[in-house]
Amino acid sequence: MSFSLSTDTMAAIATAPGEGAIAVVRLSGPETYALADRLFRCPSPPPSGRATGTFVHGQVCEPATGEVIDDALLLVFKAPRSYTGEDAVEIHCHGGSQSARRILDALLHAGARPAGPGEFTKRAFLNNKLDLTQAEAVLDLIHARSERAARLAAAQLENALGIRIRALYDALLAASADTEALLDFPDDELPQGVTSEIKDRVDVLSRDLRALLGTWSEGHVLRDGARIVIAGAPNVGKSTLLNRLAGRERAIVSPHAGTTRDIIEESVTLHGYPFHLSDTAGLREAPCEIEQEGIRRTHLALAEADLCLYLVDASQPLSEAETAFIRSHDPQRILVLANKTDLGNRLFSKEVADFQILGLSAQQDPSMEPLIDAMLAKLHLTSGSGHQEGVAVSRRHKDSLSIALEEITQTSILLSDGREPSFLPAATHLRSATEQVGFIFGKDCTDEMLNTLFSRFCVGK
């Protein structure tokens, strides 16, 4: 599907399926008011003669037979003062499975075509109503799983990220142009100090890029949720911990080893962040094939986890297998929990001294707050208000910013003291960095890039 700007008229149901008080059908494009006038019966003037931003009450009718489909409200949007930047209307009808579908069918029979996923937002982007960071924020707001995620999306929709990205782009473009201008000077006629001045600007840009990249952890968790795997030997309290964090009896708790044979998953929100918790089979030499399969799935989940909560029995010394498991992990991706401190609290081996160990009693402790704070710290999150700028980059932003950072790092090396200035490759690296940053807000994006992004949207948005 090409994302060049279409000139046809599209329609879609904008509300979720199922029973509800109202449903909304959207129509956008050059034939919007010709179709609205044909289908919508109301006191004079017709929809085409109404002012933008006004509601009109009337009846939606089959254009061929005049049969009334539903009593409805029609909301008028005249170009360019609409979401898409085109002539558009919204028909607010009764909810349920029939009215909106019949109205959409009537519009399609009258000449509109079905809108594709995200096509209303795509047209808003192509008509310069939104930049690409704002278009993505629409999707983030729809998918928000917590109030904190919704606040971030709302700030991005207000262009908090776009403003910073455009400022970075403009600075990179200026540095690139100034570097290219130096190619016209003979080496013995270069303005004094110009090389160090450009390098200083590049170093500032590098710091700005690193600052934006530093928001990735928060952006990833808010948009996707953090995958937390609870692992450990049998009977160390994994299921009890899952139940405490979930706030309900989600997993069966039993003193018998092997009770949990498959992964039990639960989604929770902790301090405004969405988490996907996985209680896994106890790690041991399993006696049966079913338990062996559960342990195999545990290892697969661990490979995809953002953080492993590894439980050990605080009243018993670490086994060789437990020590080996801990040592096999990156200290930043594992939090060792010495559970059952109500039964004892042994000092653990020096072999795991480099790893954070938190003592707790999942069964007895009145609060899980110390554990939650430790989890947030491991994931580089904050229990406070988060980024004041309302900025946290997504995976797509991170990938472009990472490439841009590599490019300007090479530029800085080329302009370093003690080297013969290499302005041509330096300018090339700066141009590449500028291009990557431009992709973030939608400059010179390919149809393929846009198709991938907007295909994630629902139809009607």
Side-chain angles (χ1 to χ4, degrees), residues 275-393:
F275 288 82
H276 306 295
L277 304 176
S278 298
D279 177 23
T280 59
L283 298 171
R284 65 169 178 166
E285 293 296 326
C288 71
E289 291 184 2
I290 295 176
E291 194 173 348
Q292 289 171 7
E293 175 61 19
I295 293 171
R296 186 188 72 83
R297 294 185 183 188
T298 296
H299 286 290
L300 290 175
L302 285 166
E304 299 176 352
D306 294 297
L307 179 66
C308 171
L309 301 181
Y310 187 67
L311 272 69
V312 297
D313 189 335
S315 66
Q316 303 295 325
L318 285 178
S319 68
E320 290 184 6
E322 288 173 326
T323 301
F325 182 92
I326 295 169
R327 296 290 298 172
S328 70
H329 282 72
D330 179 348
Q332 292 302 313
R333 294 188 61 202
I334 187 170
L335 177 59
V336 181
L337 303 180
N339 191 30
K340 304 184 181 181
T341 53
D342 53 308
L343 302 180
N345 198 355
R346 289 181 178 268
L347 295 175
F348 291 122
S349 169
K350 293 182 180 179
E351 293 180 0
V352 295
D354 295 337
F355 293 80
Q356 183 181 0
I357 301 175
L358 180 67
L360 81 160
S361 173
Q363 192 171 58
Q364 300 292 332
D365 285 350
S367 171
M368 290 287 103
E369 285 301 308
L371 169 57
I372 295 171
D373 288 341
M375 291 165 59
L376 295 177
K378 280 286 185 183
L379 294 166
H380 307 289
L381 305 174
T382 173
S383 58
S385 59
H387 293 289
Q388 296 299 316
E389 304 92 337
V391 169
V393 298

Side-chain angles (χ1 to χ4, degrees), residues 129-148:
K129 302 293 288 186
L130 303 169
D131 74 12
L132 212 51
T133 66
Q134 293 172 299
E136 289 171 304
V138 172
L139 186 63
D140 289 341
L141 191 57
I142 292 171
H143 289 172
R145 304 175 189 178
S146 68
E147 182 179 350
R148 187 187 290 261

